[in-house]
Amino acid sequence: LVYKVVQMAQALETSRFSDFWMAANACRDFLNSIPGFYESVRGFIAHIISVSFLHVTKRTLADCLKLEGASLE
């Protein structure tokens, strides 16, 4: 578990968001027990995207945040 947490942290620090979500999926039972974890991560990712890009497609944003449909709106 510690290895996965370090892996997730490194992925977020280097903006490898798809790698983060793959690692998070591997320990989702643990992460689901942390209130607000996914919301906080999505807030961090959204902040990084907002300071890094002037324009981003909805599809790219959805991929980075791992959201679809009404959740993305």
Side-chain angles (χ1 to χ4, degrees), residues 24-41:
N25 190 47
C27 52
R28 69 179 167 268
D29 291 337
F30 170 71
L31 297 177
N32 285 334
S33 71
I34 302 171
F37 177 79
Y38 291 105
E39 292 82 2
S40 294
V41 167

Side-chain angles (χ1 to χ4, degrees), residues 5-54:
V5 171
V6 170
Q7 189 179 27
M8 287 185 297
Q10 289 174 340
L12 285 175
E13 289 173 358
T14 56
S15 299
R16 292 179 293 116
F17 304 128
S18 62
D19 292 345
F20 166 80
W21 291 114
M22 286 190 334
N25 190 47
C27 52
R28 69 179 167 268
D29 291 337
F30 170 71
L31 297 177
N32 285 334
S33 71
I34 302 171
F37 177 79
Y38 291 105
E39 292 82 2
S40 294
V41 167
R42 287 186 174 107
F44 173 79
I45 292 171
H47 171 74
I48 295 302
I49 291 171
S50 73
V51 298
S52 301
F53 300 99
L54 291 175

Side-chain angles (χ1 to χ4, degrees), residues 49-65:
I49 291 171
S50 73
V51 298
S52 301
F53 300 99
L54 291 175
H55 303 283
V56 64
T57 66
K58 192 173 184 177
R59 181 74 256 157
T60 298
L61 184 61
D63 290 345
C64 290
L65 297 177

